[in-house]
Amino acid sequence: MRRILLSLVLLMLPALAMAQSVNVSVNVDTSKPGAEISRHIYGQFVEHLGRGIYEGIWVGENSKIPNIRGYRSDVVAALKNIKVPVMRWPGGCFADLYDWRDGIGPRAKRPVRVNVHWGGVTEDNSFGTHEFLNLAELVGAEAYVSINVGTLTPYDASQWLEYMTSDSKSSLANERRRNGRAKPWNVKFVGIGNETWGCGGNMRPEYAADIQRRYATFANTPRDMGTLKIASGSHDDNYEFAEVMMKNGGRFDGLSVHYYTVPRVFRDKGAATGFPEAEWASTLDHARHVETIVTKTAEIMDKYDPARKIGLYFDEWGTWYDQGPGSTPGFLYQQNTLRDAEVAALHLNIFHRHTDRVKMANIAQMINVLQAMILTDKEKMVLTPTYHVFEMYVPFQGATPYPASVSGGGYKNGDTSLPSVDVSAARGKDGKLYLSLVNLDPNRPAHVVTNLSGTAKGRILTGAAMDTRNTFAAPHAIRPVPFSGSSDNGKLAFDLPAKAVAVVAVE
Ligand code: AHR
């Protein structure tokens, strides 16, 4: 009998070891409030790519899929629910081959083009300027329009902006009226090109800075609209474009930076699901690298803009995996798992730590493309783990952040060492103190003791497997569930399960 008991205990040992908590301390310094968390860091990127727009959001008025003036009703409701603050459109690489005139007027008469960047499919332009700007209004988001500096002239950019925003009796404003829109739209952000170092024209940084100066001169809206101009900057660890743009790019309000998280390397990225633990760890490690990019870019910006008037706009970020089996080449469709939820939470926490510089971020991309909020399959829709993070983080929009430090614990896999827990703390617009807690360790729970007192209630997102995900067959496999804090010797504490993201309000 004793032998049987002993073998039973031995059998259970790995499980017991896995369940052993890591002890972590969190210190929130409420005496040092930082600059407000711009709600625009919760922005989305929407490109003419794959099923991001067509089917993802735009189905047309005659579709059997329930819609509001052509926009999927289910998707619009889901987007409103996460309070999307800003949408960037039409690209991406697509922007620098896009002629805005293709996308206005009666849809049946719009020209059909080839989308050379994304799968070589035909683009019938049924989603154009009116459809985008009306969508932004419907969702309650600001519009961020990227102008074409690669293949059109500054005159085209100037005309497009006049068409969208002029309240005059000009021919362009009247054309807009004839096309169904009486009032001008509010275009809050204008991107002067996209990735000028790559698909936007393969420019040299000095040439890109001149292009920026020239196009920005003519890319104007009525003065009282307060439109902000965003220069195309650098990417990853290449800082040359940021440096040269800051030095020579003339006047602009924001500097764009792009960074995608891949598990391995860009040419051999790794799979979205069914990955080994080493790729859980490397993906989170690569996601955390965004803090280095923000810090180094901010250092460059500080040299030329010590008063910090120019914002750092992280207008493309997110995970990028190898194309899944059976998916259309060039459509960048990928599944989205608990790992993506952690990547999202880590990015958002990092942006919260740099609010003096980071004024906007746009996850790539909103629907059916890369790290999407929403996946659709004809009439079906699934909210991804990333969506749930954005929804849980809504109280952080416009909140005032506090420094929060973490000590103790640690998670190691092979050569990758990560903290067990990442934390963000902020005072919400409703006056409550919010904490987000991310457990990066896929195996061990964390016992987190804070320097705060009181109680805390909120929700947590976690799952049994690293690639827990929602599918069209099981759309609610992963969603937030209630979570609350406890007390440890009078201090607010949390027992945070392995691989989890929690957001709580402290009372
Ligand atoms: O988001 C996909 C592509 O990634 C964008 O079109 C481009 O800007 C970036 O390289």
Side-chain angles (χ1 to χ4, degrees):
M1 184 64 182
R2 278 174 70 183
R3 215 181 257 171
I4 295 174
L5 271 177
L6 187 66
S7 358
L8 266 177
V9 169
L10 284 175
L11 265 177
M12 285 169 65
L13 265 182
L16 288 174
M18 270 170 58
Q20 203 173 7
S21 276
V22 178
N23 289 317
V24 169
S25 302
V26 164
N27 192 79
V28 178
D29 189 350
T30 52
S31 71
K32 293 200 176 93
E36 182 178 306
I37 298 170
S38 164
R39 62 191 188 93
H40 296 130
I41 70 162
Y42 288 86
Q44 303 283 328
F45 172 36
V46 193
E47 182 169 14
H48 287 245
L49 197 175
R51 295 184 298 116
I53 288 175
Y54 300 112
E55 187 197 309
I57 180 81
W58 178 255
V59 287
E61 287 109 336
N62 300 326
S63 172
K64 287 198 180 106
I65 298 175
N67 66 82
I68 308 161
R69 290 179 278 123
Y71 309 102
R72 291 180 72 121
S73 313
D74 51 358
V75 169
V76 168
L79 295 175
K80 281 186 176 174
N81 188 40
I82 55 170
K83 303 197 185 318
V84 172
V86 56
M87 291 179 195
R88 175 174 181 254
W89 172 86
C93 297
F94 183 83
D96 281 296
L97 270 173
Y98 183 61
D99 185 344
W100 67 275
R101 290 184 186 280
D102 290 351
I104 58 168
R107 288 191 200 108
K109 291 195 175 155
R110 295 185 191 174
V112 176
R113 309 280 182 211
V114 176
N115 189 337
V116 293
H117 284 295
W118 306 118
V121 293
T122 49
E123 161 66 61
D124 69 4
N125 283 299
S126 51
F127 190 94
T129 298
H130 289 245
E131 289 76 15
F132 170 68
L133 293 172
N134 288 341
L135 169 67
E137 279 189 352
L138 183 61
V139 169
E142 300 282 8
Y144 178 177
V145 174
S146 287
I147 60 167
N148 178 343
V149 308
T151 58
L152 290 183
T153 67
Y155 185 62
D156 296 289
S158 151
Q159 293 218 315
W160 191 15
L161 288 166
E162 182 182 324
Y163 180 90
M164 292 187 279
T165 65
S166 174
D167 203 14
S168 72
K169 296 280 178 251
S170 77
S171 299
L172 282 167
N174 283 338
E175 188 178 358
R176 181 196 69 230
R177 291 185 186 102
R178 281 197 303 279
N179 286 335
R181 173 72 183 200
K183 279 190 314 173
W185 288 283
N186 190 15
V187 176
K188 184 76 188 163
F189 303 98
V190 173
I192 313 294
N194 169 74
E195 298 194 349
T196 48
W197 44 266
C199 65
N202 280 307
M203 301 175 195
R204 292 174 303 107
E206 293 75 16
Y207 182 69
D210 285 344
I211 286 285
Q212 150 64 32
R213 296 173 81 102
R214 180 168 170 231
Y215 280 74
T217 304
F218 303 105
N220 294 313
T221 60
R223 195 174 285 276
D224 59 3
M225 202 166 271
T227 301
L228 303 176
K229 297 179 189 176
I230 322 306
S232 171
S234 52
H235 65 105
D236 306 323
D237 287 308
N238 305 294
Y239 299 99
E240 201 187 358
F241 272 72
E243 179 90 45
V244 176
M245 196 56 78
M246 288 301 295
K247 191 172 175 193
N248 294 326
R251 290 177 61 180
F252 51 90
D253 305 289
L255 179 72
S256 138
V257 177
H258 292 179
Y259 174 64
Y260 284 95
T261 296
V262 298
R264 304 201 284 257
V265 290
F266 208 74
R267 283 180 184 281
D268 173 26
K269 303 178 192 68
T273 58
F275 46 83
E277 186 179 329
E279 289 185 17
W280 166 277
S282 61
T283 304
L284 299 193
D285 192 28
H286 295 167
R288 291 181 74 244
H289 186 63
V290 80
E291 187 139 30
T292 304
I293 297 173
V294 169
T295 305
K296 288 194 176 170
T297 309
E299 277 166 20
I300 293 169
M301 295 175 81
D302 281 350
K303 279 199 281 175
Y304 302 97
D305 173 37
R308 301 195 173 157
K309 292 200 167 133
I310 299 176
L312 177 50
Y313 282 41
F314 235 98
D315 58 15
E316 284 187 34
W317 67 272
T319 53
W320 195 325
Y321 304 120
D322 287 334
Q323 189 192 314
S327 71
T328 313
F331 274 26
L332 310 188
Y333 179 83
Q334 62 190 35
Q335 245 300 359
N336 193 293
T337 72
L338 179 54
R339 177 175 64 170
D340 295 86
E342 295 237 345
V343 168
L346 291 173
H347 273 78
L348 296 170
N349 286 0
I350 289 166
F351 297 148
H352 293 176
R353 294 200 266 277
H354 295 272
T355 50
D356 52 346
R357 211 35 118 167
V358 180
K359 299 298 177 190
M360 191 194 286
N362 307 76
I363 189 167
Q365 298 192 2
M366 192 161 76
I367 305 160
N368 289 332
V369 176
L370 299 175
Q371 190 176 349
M373 303 294 110
I374 296 171
L375 303 177
T376 64
D377 179 14
K378 301 183 188 74
E379 76 289 352
K380 292 187 193 146
M381 178 190 84
V382 148
L383 304 177
T384 66
T386 300
Y387 175 93
H388 290 306
V389 168
F390 271 67
E391 191 268 319
M392 288 160 70
Y393 272 62
V394 164
F396 286 101
Q397 293 192 17
T400 302
Y402 296 122
S405 59
V406 178
S407 56
Y411 159 57
K412 197 165 161 48
N413 181 281
D415 292 337
T416 307
S417 293
L418 297 168
S420 301
V421 170
D422 191 271
V423 175
S424 181
R427 179 83 54 200
K429 289 245 177 243
D430 57 7
K432 290 184 189 166
L433 176 64
Y434 286 92
L435 294 181
S436 92
L437 302 146
V438 185
N439 187 348
L440 288 79
D441 191 324
N443 305 311
R444 292 177 303 171
H447 181 64
V448 181
V449 182
T450 71
N451 63 326
L452 306 167
S453 49
T455 58
K457 272 196 191 138
R459 288 175 303 153
I460 192 164
L461 188 71
T462 186
M466 292 179 291
D467 64 350
T468 305
R469 57 191 177 274
N470 292 328
T471 61
F472 297 106
H476 302 300
I478 172 166
R479 58 178 165 182
V481 294
F483 179 67
S484 47
S486 56
S487 172
D488 187 329
N489 288 318
K491 294 292 174 200
L492 178 62
F494 299 92
D495 284 300
L496 198 59
K499 46 179 165 5
V501 179
V503 173
V504 294
V506 179
E507 304 270 355

